Amino acid sequence: MDCAKVGRLILELRKEKGLTQQQVADRLNISNKTISKWERGLGCPDVTLWSGLSAVLGADIQKMLEGKLDPNLPDVGKIDKTQFYVCPTCGNILTSTGKASLACCGRKLQPLKPVPCTADHAITVEKLDLDYYLTLDHDMLKDHYISFVAYVLYDRMLLTRLYPEQSAEVRIPMLKKAGHLYVYCTRHGLQKYSGIWE
Protein backbone atom coordinates (compact mmCIF):
# COMPACT_ATOMS: atom_id res chain seq x y z
CA MET A 1 0.00 0.00 0.00
CA ASP A 2 1.40 3.40 -1.01
CA CYS A 3 0.80 5.61 2.05
CA ALA A 4 1.54 8.79 0.11
CA LYS A 5 -1.16 8.01 -2.50
CA VAL A 6 -3.62 6.91 0.19
CA GLY A 7 -2.92 10.09 2.17
CA ARG A 8 -3.50 12.35 -0.85
CA LEU A 9 -6.81 10.58 -1.50
CA ILE A 10 -7.92 10.93 2.14
CA LEU A 11 -7.10 14.67 1.96
CA GLU A 12 -9.01 15.05 -1.31
CA LEU A 13 -12.07 13.19 -0.04
CA ARG A 14 -12.06 15.06 3.28
CA LYS A 15 -12.04 18.41 1.47
CA GLU A 16 -14.80 17.23 -0.92
CA LYS A 17 -16.95 16.51 2.13
CA GLY A 18 -16.08 19.92 3.64
CA LEU A 19 -14.70 18.28 6.79
CA THR A 20 -11.81 19.38 8.97
CA GLN A 21 -9.20 16.96 10.22
CA GLN A 22 -10.70 17.34 13.70
CA GLN A 23 -14.21 16.43 12.48
CA VAL A 24 -12.92 13.26 10.79
CA ALA A 25 -10.88 12.40 13.88
CA ASP A 26 -13.90 12.91 16.19
CA ARG A 27 -16.03 10.56 14.07
CA LEU A 28 -13.34 7.89 14.21
CA ASN A 29 -12.51 8.47 17.91
CA ILE A 30 -8.85 9.19 17.17
CA SER A 31 -6.65 12.30 17.32
CA ASN A 32 -6.51 14.90 14.55
CA LYS A 33 -2.72 14.42 14.52
CA THR A 34 -3.32 10.90 13.20
CA ILE A 35 -5.38 12.30 10.29
CA SER A 36 -2.60 14.82 9.59
CA LYS A 37 -0.02 12.02 9.59
CA TRP A 38 -2.05 10.00 7.06
CA GLU A 39 -2.58 12.99 4.77
CA ARG A 40 1.16 13.69 4.75
CA GLY A 41 1.86 10.09 3.76
CA LEU A 42 3.67 9.30 7.00
CA GLY A 43 1.53 6.28 7.74
CA CYS A 44 -1.66 4.49 6.73
CA PRO A 45 -4.85 3.86 8.69
CA ASP A 46 -5.06 0.76 10.83
CA VAL A 47 -7.16 -2.04 9.39
CA THR A 48 -9.76 -1.52 12.15
CA LEU A 49 -10.38 2.06 10.96
CA TRP A 50 -10.95 1.47 7.24
CA SER A 51 -14.67 0.74 7.51
CA GLY A 52 -15.36 3.87 9.55
CA LEU A 53 -13.11 6.01 7.36
CA SER A 54 -14.90 4.73 4.27
CA ALA A 55 -18.27 5.68 5.78
CA VAL A 56 -17.09 9.15 6.89
CA LEU A 57 -15.53 9.98 3.52
CA GLY A 58 -18.20 8.23 1.41
CA ALA A 59 -15.75 6.18 -0.64
CA ASP A 60 -15.23 2.51 -1.48
CA ILE A 61 -12.67 0.83 0.80
CA GLN A 62 -10.99 -1.02 -2.08
CA LYS A 63 -10.49 2.21 -4.01
CA MET A 64 -9.17 3.94 -0.91
CA LEU A 65 -6.64 1.15 -0.34
CA GLU A 66 -5.46 1.63 -3.94
CA GLY A 67 -5.15 5.36 -3.31
CA LYS A 68 -7.16 6.40 -6.37
CA LEU A 69 -10.72 6.77 -7.54
CA ASP A 70 -11.08 5.92 -11.20
CA PRO A 71 -14.03 7.88 -12.58
CA ASN A 72 -16.40 6.11 -14.93
CA LEU A 73 -16.99 7.50 -18.37
CA PRO A 74 -19.77 10.09 -18.37
CA ASP A 75 -23.30 8.72 -18.68
CA VAL A 76 -24.32 9.52 -22.25
CA GLY A 77 -28.00 8.90 -21.63
CA LYS A 78 -28.21 5.36 -22.99
CA ILE A 79 -30.91 4.24 -20.60
CA ASP A 80 -31.88 1.50 -23.03
CA LYS A 81 -28.53 -0.07 -22.08
CA THR A 82 -29.62 -0.35 -18.43
CA GLN A 83 -28.00 -3.14 -16.46
CA PHE A 84 -29.75 -4.84 -13.55
CA TYR A 85 -28.20 -6.14 -10.34
CA VAL A 86 -29.87 -8.13 -7.55
CA CYS A 87 -28.25 -8.64 -4.16
CA PRO A 88 -28.17 -12.39 -3.39
CA THR A 89 -28.44 -11.67 0.34
CA CYS A 90 -31.21 -9.09 0.76
CA GLY A 91 -32.79 -9.00 -2.72
CA ASN A 92 -32.17 -5.28 -3.31
CA ILE A 93 -32.55 -4.29 -6.96
CA LEU A 94 -29.99 -1.87 -8.37
CA THR A 95 -29.55 -0.50 -11.88
CA SER A 96 -26.87 1.34 -13.84
CA THR A 97 -26.79 2.89 -17.29
CA GLY A 98 -23.04 2.55 -17.69
CA LYS A 99 -20.00 0.87 -16.23
CA ALA A 100 -20.39 0.80 -12.46
CA SER A 101 -18.94 -0.86 -9.40
CA LEU A 102 -21.90 -1.75 -7.20
CA ALA A 103 -21.97 -3.57 -3.89
CA CYS A 104 -24.66 -4.58 -1.42
CA CYS A 105 -24.43 -6.43 1.91
CA GLY A 106 -20.64 -6.29 1.59
CA ARG A 107 -20.57 -8.15 -1.73
CA LYS A 108 -19.60 -6.80 -5.12
CA LEU A 109 -22.44 -7.33 -7.57
CA GLN A 110 -22.17 -8.39 -11.19
CA PRO A 111 -24.73 -7.26 -13.79
CA LEU A 112 -27.36 -9.85 -14.63
CA LYS A 113 -27.13 -11.35 -18.10
CA PRO A 114 -30.61 -11.49 -19.66
CA VAL A 115 -31.65 -14.63 -21.50
CA PRO A 116 -34.65 -15.07 -23.83
CA CYS A 117 -37.87 -15.88 -22.01
CA THR A 118 -38.78 -19.51 -21.44
CA ALA A 119 -42.18 -21.18 -21.81
CA ASP A 120 -42.50 -21.24 -18.01
CA HIS A 121 -42.41 -17.44 -18.02
CA ALA A 122 -44.84 -16.67 -20.85
CA ILE A 123 -46.66 -13.34 -20.65
CA THR A 124 -50.22 -12.56 -21.64
CA VAL A 125 -50.73 -8.98 -22.85
CA GLU A 126 -54.10 -7.22 -22.96
CA LYS A 127 -54.88 -3.62 -23.85
CA LEU A 128 -56.84 -1.84 -21.12
CA ASP A 129 -57.59 1.85 -21.63
CA LEU A 130 -54.18 3.42 -22.24
CA ASP A 131 -52.19 0.61 -20.63
CA TYR A 132 -50.88 -2.81 -21.42
CA TYR A 133 -52.00 -5.26 -18.77
CA LEU A 134 -49.38 -8.00 -18.42
CA THR A 135 -49.96 -11.22 -16.54
CA LEU A 136 -47.60 -14.12 -15.96
CA ASP A 137 -48.84 -17.56 -15.08
CA HIS A 138 -46.12 -18.01 -12.48
CA ASP A 139 -45.93 -19.18 -8.89
CA MET A 140 -45.45 -16.39 -6.37
CA LEU A 141 -44.03 -18.40 -3.51
CA LYS A 142 -41.56 -17.16 -0.90
CA ASP A 143 -38.69 -19.09 -2.47
CA HIS A 144 -39.71 -18.78 -6.15
CA TYR A 145 -41.41 -15.70 -7.52
CA ILE A 146 -41.18 -12.82 -9.99
CA SER A 147 -39.22 -10.12 -8.16
CA PHE A 148 -39.55 -7.31 -10.71
CA VAL A 149 -40.74 -6.37 -14.16
CA ALA A 150 -38.91 -3.56 -15.98
CA TYR A 151 -39.97 -1.77 -19.12
CA VAL A 152 -36.99 0.08 -20.65
CA LEU A 153 -37.19 2.64 -23.44
CA TYR A 154 -34.48 4.85 -24.89
CA ASP A 155 -35.19 7.66 -22.41
CA ARG A 156 -36.98 6.12 -19.40
CA MET A 157 -37.51 3.02 -17.37
CA LEU A 158 -40.52 1.77 -15.44
CA LEU A 159 -39.60 -0.80 -12.81
CA THR A 160 -42.35 -2.56 -10.88
CA ARG A 161 -41.40 -4.54 -7.79
CA LEU A 162 -43.46 -7.66 -7.08
CA TYR A 163 -43.64 -9.68 -3.87
CA PRO A 164 -44.44 -13.27 -2.93
CA GLU A 165 -48.09 -14.16 -2.47
CA GLN A 166 -49.34 -11.35 -4.72
CA SER A 167 -50.39 -11.71 -8.34
CA ALA A 168 -47.76 -11.65 -11.08
CA GLU A 169 -49.34 -8.78 -13.01
CA VAL A 170 -48.26 -5.32 -14.11
CA ARG A 171 -49.78 -2.38 -15.95
CA ILE A 172 -47.51 -0.52 -18.36
CA PRO A 173 -48.51 2.69 -20.17
CA MET A 174 -48.84 2.42 -23.94
CA LEU A 175 -46.10 4.56 -25.40
CA LYS A 176 -45.45 5.33 -29.04
CA LYS A 177 -42.11 3.54 -29.11
CA ALA A 178 -41.99 -0.02 -27.88
CA GLY A 179 -39.20 -0.75 -25.43
CA HIS A 180 -37.63 -3.83 -23.97
CA LEU A 181 -39.35 -5.84 -21.27
CA TYR A 182 -37.38 -7.65 -18.58
CA VAL A 183 -38.67 -10.03 -15.93
CA TYR A 184 -36.58 -11.29 -13.01
CA CYS A 185 -37.44 -14.69 -11.54
CA THR A 186 -35.74 -15.49 -8.24
CA ARG A 187 -34.94 -19.00 -9.43
CA HIS A 188 -34.35 -18.57 -13.20
CA GLY A 189 -32.80 -15.10 -13.37
CA LEU A 190 -33.34 -12.19 -15.74
CA GLN A 191 -35.30 -12.82 -18.91
CA LYS A 192 -35.77 -10.48 -21.85
CA TYR A 193 -38.94 -10.49 -23.92
CA SER A 194 -39.28 -9.42 -27.51
CA GLY A 195 -42.21 -9.18 -29.88
CA ILE A 196 -44.91 -8.94 -27.23
CA TRP A 197 -46.18 -5.48 -28.23
CA GLU A 198 -47.39 -6.43 -31.73
Side-chain angles (χ1 to χ4, degrees), residues 61-162:
I61 292 175
Q62 182 64 36
K63 297 297 183 183
M64 290 177 63
L65 287 168
E66 293 170 7
K68 61 181 180 168
L69 298 176
D70 296 324
N72 290 325
L73 295 173
D75 183 346
V76 293
K78 298 276 187 184
I79 200 162
D80 60 339
K81 303 292 185 201
T82 296
Q83 293 183 308
F84 299 92
Y85 305 77
V86 175
C87 177
T89 304
C90 70
N92 274 344
I93 302 163
L94 298 100
T95 63
S96 70
T97 57
K99 183 180 175 189
S101 177
L102 301 178
C104 189
C105 295
R107 291 167 179 82
K108 187 172 180 180
L109 302 179
Q110 296 299 321
L112 300 172
K113 303 281 189 231
V115 297
C117 69
T118 63
D120 293 342
H121 297 87
I123 292 182
T124 302
V125 179
E126 297 176 53
K127 292 181 182 179
L128 292 178
D129 301 321
L130 298 175
D131 291 339
Y132 291 113
Y133 178 64
L134 282 61
T135 55
L136 289 99
D137 184 20
H138 192 282
D139 289 333
M140 294 295 282
L141 307 172
K142 289 188 180 194
D143 63 343
H144 183 203
Y145 63 97
I146 300 298
S147 174
F148 70 85
V149 176
Y151 181 47
V152 182
L153 289 93
Y154 73 97
D155 64 346
R156 69 191 77 187
M157 176 179 63
L158 172 69
L159 190 141
T160 304
R161 177 77 189 240
L162 300 174

Side-chain angles (χ1 to χ4, degrees), residues 22-38:
Q22 186 63 55
Q23 288 171 319
V24 173
D26 289 345
R27 292 181 188 179
L28 297 174
N29 296 318
I30 58 175
S31 82
N32 65 334
K33 290 180 182 176
T34 303
I35 306 296
S36 174
K37 184 173 100 173
W38 296 343

Side-chain angles (χ1 to χ4, degrees), residues 14-26:
R14 179 179 62 77
K15 288 185 173 182
E16 269 181 26
K17 291 283 186 185
L19 298 170
T20 65
Q21 288 180 344
Q22 186 63 55
Q23 288 171 319
V24 173
D26 289 345

